[in-house]
Amino acid sequence: MNAQPPSSRTARTSRRGGTTWQNWAGNVTASPARTVSPSSTAGLAEAVRRAAEDGLSVKAAGTGHSFTAAAATEGMLIRPEHLVGIRELDREARTVTVAAGTPLKHLNETLAAAGLSLTNMGDIMEQTVSGAVSTGTHGTGRTSASLAAQVTGLELVCADGSVMRCSEAENADVFAAARLGLGALGVISELTFAVEPEFLLTAREEPMSFDQVTSDFDQLVAENEHFEFYWFPHTDGCNTKRNNRAAGPAQPLPRVRGWVDDELLSNGVFQAVCSLGAAAPAVVSSIAKISSRALSARTYTDIPYKVFTTPRRVRFVEMEYALPREAAMGALRELKELVERSRFQVSFPVEVRTAPADGIPLSTAQGRETAYVAVHMYRGSPHEEYFTAAERIMTAHGGRPHWGKLHSRDAGYLASVYPRFEEFVRVRDRLDPDRMFANDYLRRVLGE
């Protein structure tokens, strides 16, 4: 049986005959009054105009990989499955323009076929381009930033159904805000990304002790183009990954080794382990110790998206905070102490990545060198106490929550950690004064 694409798995018919939307993790559902799937910018604009006439709020949903209710609505829900495809590939300008609902997987494969690549990306590629950009999806990088920072232009359908083109040269203030706009300014219909000739990355993955990686963190970041690591709670074990450009030749993982590591161990066996831990929480710490000792080193060289991304089939919920880079290791040590003195049973590793400072108003890396600390729990396992305790640590260090991941912060707190927060709000007031694109989540994080 062929698996359905993620975008179609998130929609189902309710008993009332309407459509009920559910996100990837299953922790957010919505029952919109109307669901549309336009296939063109003109069709999208017409749908927004009709919603305005009918007094409906409007939200667009991608593949549902956000853990917050950022896309939930009781009004009109825009589904992206027909608003897809490459609209223009400009080799001379080194840009690609793509419809908003296009999955990152399709974009990456198309670019690779043309001998091109994004500079950096996150670790999964199931999301739509607009969903990933709008919520601040990022990978890890010493000098290369998030997906939003790679956007050079966009097309935005506004609350009155008009279409606005935005770039640094055209509607520059809207462009600055809408590159990471949370769906609060309008509905993105297309995005233009900067691209570059395809290159090779050599990935070096190896175990390292918690004390060593935290002590050497600044050096590891400085010496590698892309550095990240995972710490296994209840243990002193970490797994590190360093990605650096290479002259070649390509040396991909052998097919069997790749399947064993990325499918069997990271998905199949890990799913079984998480299920066991959910049924018998007392065994989680013992399993974690075995898992951390089972790690082995590996090195391979491949094209970028095959190195940056990995399949993620075990479902979970996640909270991630962006910290000033100099504060991150101290916060992580506090998190380790918290787990050690608590009764929490944490089966998922804690992920740490980095990003350079950027100038996007609501970017989690706006204005400062950043390190990200992400905590996860298996879907269905109690996570609230663990996440709440971890959040206290992160906010004590001036942390900024990832917009698409669980957190409890509101507009008052967020305005205090984003120097350009009011700049974004002013653009929102101008483009959507009646809050057509608002929902409960945006009212909490941006204010009324």
Side-chain angles (χ1 to χ4, degrees), residues 31 153 220 228 348:
S31 297
L220 289 163
E228 63 185 304
F348 264 79

Side-chain angles (χ1 to χ4, degrees), residues 65 104 121-127 137 308-312:
H65 273 76
L104 284 167
M121 61 195 78
D123 59 5
I124 63 171
M125 55 179 181
E126 278 71 34
Q127 313 104 306
T137 295
F308 284 130
T309 68
T310 52
R312 293 281 184 265

Side-chain angles (χ1 to χ4, degrees), residues 170-206:
E170 186 178 12
N171 298 307
D173 60 336
V174 177
F175 173 67
R179 279 195 289 174
L180 201 167
L182 310 180
L185 307 179
V187 182
I188 292 174
S189 51
E190 72 174 31
L191 288 158
T192 300
F193 292 91
V195 295
E196 60 177 298
E198 189 174 72
F199 51 93
L200 292 172
L201 285 171
T202 292
R204 175 184 168 193
E205 302 175 14
E206 64 180 345

Side-chain angles (χ1 to χ4, degrees), residues 77-91:
L77 183 70
I78 299 166
R79 300 308 310 280
E81 49 259 39
H82 301 305
L83 194 65
V84 297
I86 306 299
R87 292 186 171 178
E88 183 181 7
L89 188 59
D90 189 331
R91 290 180 177 275

Side-chain angles (χ1 to χ4, degrees), residues 15-29:
R15 292 179 181 177
R16 297 180 303 167
T19 299
T20 299
W21 176 85
Q22 179 175 281
N23 70 341
W24 177 82
N27 66 309
V28 177
T29 59

Side-chain angles (χ1 to χ4, degrees), residues 395-415:
T395 55
H397 291 278
R400 299 167 177 169
H402 189 300
W403 295 105
K405 299 178 184 179
L406 295 177
H407 66 92
S408 68
R409 300 298 89 188
D410 61 14
Y413 174 85
L414 294 165

